[in-house]
Amino acid sequence: MDLIRPSWDEFYLDIAKAVSRRGECKRRQVGAIIVKRHSIVGTGYNGASPGEKSCLDGACPRAESEVLPNANYAESGCHVIHAETNAMLRTSWENMQDATLYVTDEPCKDCWPKIKNTGIARVVYPGSQVYIEKRP
């Protein structure tokens, strides 16, 4: 029997998918992990701030609206912390340097500047991978 092993990117995206199952959004559960030298150094999923009511508790007007994905989150009343941001908040600055962020969906336009300011070198989401240009 031939052993079929996933690539490293497939392996880590599968783990991000497992993390996404903790997501607190009724519309879309997203998971993210940060990996450095083949060690997971941070994880996050989309959810409310600690101690706050979440979408699952009926606290998010965006959840019941017809607003399109990637529309302006603040204007739609969404108060969830995105998976990428949660992962970055839970990872040390040192561990983010030259790390890879794996996320189950493409980061939104609000998350990209945060990612670019962390030292993360690479972002992988289904169907794509992005290398972040380093600042001089």
Side-chain angles (χ1 to χ4, degrees), residues 74-130:
E75 288 178 14
S76 68
C78 180
H79 63 274
V80 72
I81 308 298
H82 289 189
E84 306 92 306
T85 299
N86 270 325
M88 292 182 291
L89 287 170
R90 288 166 175 75
T91 304
S92 73
W93 181 259
E94 181 180 290
N95 277 335
M96 286 191 282
Q97 305 313 298
D98 297 315
T100 300
L101 171 67
Y102 291 90
V103 63
T104 57
D105 282 308
E106 180 177 3
C108 73
K109 66 179 181 64
D110 295 330
C111 285
W112 279 113
K114 296 172 191 169
I115 295 165
K116 289 178 180 179
N117 279 295
T118 63
I120 288 172
R122 188 168 166 251
V123 179
V124 178
Y125 52 91
S128 189
Q129 59 183 350
V130 177

Side-chain angles (χ1 to χ4, degrees), residues 38-65:
H38 293 294
S39 291
I40 297 170
V41 296
T43 65
Y45 54 84
N46 55 332
S49 297
E52 298 291 321
K53 290 190 176 201
S54 75
C55 186
L56 300 177
D57 302 316
C60 181
R62 182 182 176 95
E64 306 303 326
S65 74

